Amino acid sequence: MPSHSWLLLDRESPRYRLPDDLRAHDPMAGHDCGWVEQMLPFVRQFSRPGDTVFDPFAGFGTTLLAARLEDRLALGCEVDAGRIDLIRERLARHELAHGTTLLHGSCDALDDAALPPFDLCLTNVPYFGCRWTGAPSASQLYNSQSYAQHLDGLRNVFHRVRAGLREGGACIAMVENIRLGDRVLPLAFDLARILGSLFSMEDERVLVYPHESDETDADTRTDRRHEYALVFRKQRERIDLQGTADLLDALRAQGHAFTLFGSFVRWQQDPQSPPPADADIRVDPDPQRLDALLQYLRDQGFALTSWGDPVPLPIHFDSYRGRYYFRADRIDDQGALIRLDICYEQ
Ligand SMILES: C[S@@+](CC[C@H](N)C(=O)[O-])C[C@H]1O[C@@H](n2cnc3c(N)ncnc32)[C@H](O)[C@@H]1O
């Protein structure tokens, strides 16, 4: 793949295009099908022959076909049974059905026995507002009733992706911001925030599609002239170790009660052990003390989040029960990161 930040996709090769007869069988007439050409450069750059490429929203198997064309194993989840059959038929026509595993359903419902580990996750996410007309399914994200529910569904899926992705593997999501009614929804940017709470951001590519006509989607008025490929990686964050130790000292000096545990303690006891990716502290679940601690951190320039969502102060503690921890991140003007995970539940 070229090293510049955009990828111009001229035309879809008729050789790999979803065949018209298969398109005709689909409730959305294959309207949401991507291009093999779009996926190939990412398969080549972010995986090796023999690796497993996973698409949690397999759709018509475009990613899976690109993976098989490059001698990777293909693994896909798709919530619509009709599309699973369609993928099988499409890959069989290319004589590439072997080396492919198709799972029916949403990956967040699958345990480790059902979903084998994979080396690369490469996908096009379902768009909010697409109005699915096929067989109903509670996990079908095309049918999300609200934008917030849609983002929650995406978060659940990518949370599961993180668990199945091998350490060091890339998670790449293709997505654009969408026009819905008379507003623009920043789906690409909201998804980047969700992925940023699960992985480390590595890169972005803008995929550009020169269109000959002015056709747009009647419902969402999204014409896919460009989209983002958001490139994230599952890896331990490098943190500012001295800055973290200084922060912990400052918290003690300010009278904030906490117990330090986990990898930061282990590294302090044995500096030859792997460097920690954060500092975990345990605190009493006392709303007033938590507020004081979070307020102090915010005053020091920390961003406060709970599972990727910003945390407004003072906290409404009850709404965070069951979420276990707050995250406080501070990135300085040199790019150095201090990350504190504040656990208030076991
Ligand atoms: C944008 S399409 C993917 C198209 C695919 N990349 C291709 O070009 O062949 C999104 C797909 O996600 C599926 N989907 C929606 N919610 C899902 C979920 N929770 N788990 C798995 N698949 C889901 C939809 O049925 C749809 O086929």
Side-chain angles (χ1 to χ4, degrees), residues 177-193:
N177 296 317
I178 51 173
R179 219 169 254 287
L180 193 60
D182 56 4
R183 66 184 75 247
V184 175
L185 296 180
L187 179 62
F189 305 149
D190 286 332
L191 181 64
R193 190 171 51 78

Side-chain angles (χ1 to χ4, degrees), residues 18 26 28 30 32-36 38-39 55-64 77-80 83 86-87 90 103-108 122-127 130 132 137-143 150 153-154 157 174 224:
L18 181 66
D26 184 67
M28 286 166 70
D32 51 335
C33 185
W35 293 8
V36 170
Q38 162 193 5
M39 297 302 184
D55 186 345
F57 302 112
F60 308 90
T62 306
T63 305
L64 309 185
C77 274
E78 169 55 51
V79 84
D80 183 58
R83 287 190 172 181
L86 190 152
I87 296 173
R90 185 181 187 190
L103 303 169
H104 181 208
S106 192
C107 67
D108 52 317
L122 179 61
T123 193
N124 267 324
V125 300
Y127 285 107
C130 253
W132 173 250
S137 157
S139 323
Q140 175 54 263
L141 288 179
Y142 277 151
N143 274 347
H150 194 75
L154 291 175
V157 166
M174 312 223 172
R224 193 157 162 263

Side-chain angles (χ1 to χ4, degrees), residues 34 38-39 42 57 122-128 142 147 150-151 154 158 171-179 185-195 201 203-209 222-232:
Q38 162 193 5
M39 297 302 184
F42 293 92
F57 302 112
L122 179 61
T123 193
N124 267 324
V125 300
Y127 285 107
F128 177 55
Y142 277 151
Y147 185 52
H150 194 75
L151 294 179
L154 291 175
F158 283 105
C171 173
I172 303 172
M174 312 223 172
V175 57
E176 66 179 324
N177 296 317
I178 51 173
R179 219 169 254 287
L185 296 180
L187 179 62
F189 305 149
D190 286 332
L191 181 64
R193 190 171 51 78
I194 290 171
L195 294 175
M201 186 160 191
D203 207 347
E204 64 174 348
R205 286 282 193 285
V206 182
L207 309 190
V208 184
Y209 301 83
T222 301
D223 61 4
R224 193 157 162 263
R225 279 167 202 267
H226 76 271
E227 67 189 328
Y228 298 94
L230 304 174
V231 181
F232 285 76

Side-chain angles (χ1 to χ4, degrees), residues 12-19 36-37 40 65 69 90 94:
E12 195 180 8
S13 152
R15 191 157 163 224
Y16 300 133
R17 192 172 185 274
L18 181 66
V36 170
E37 289 80 358
L40 279 174
L65 177 54
L69 286 166
R90 185 181 187 190
H94 287 274

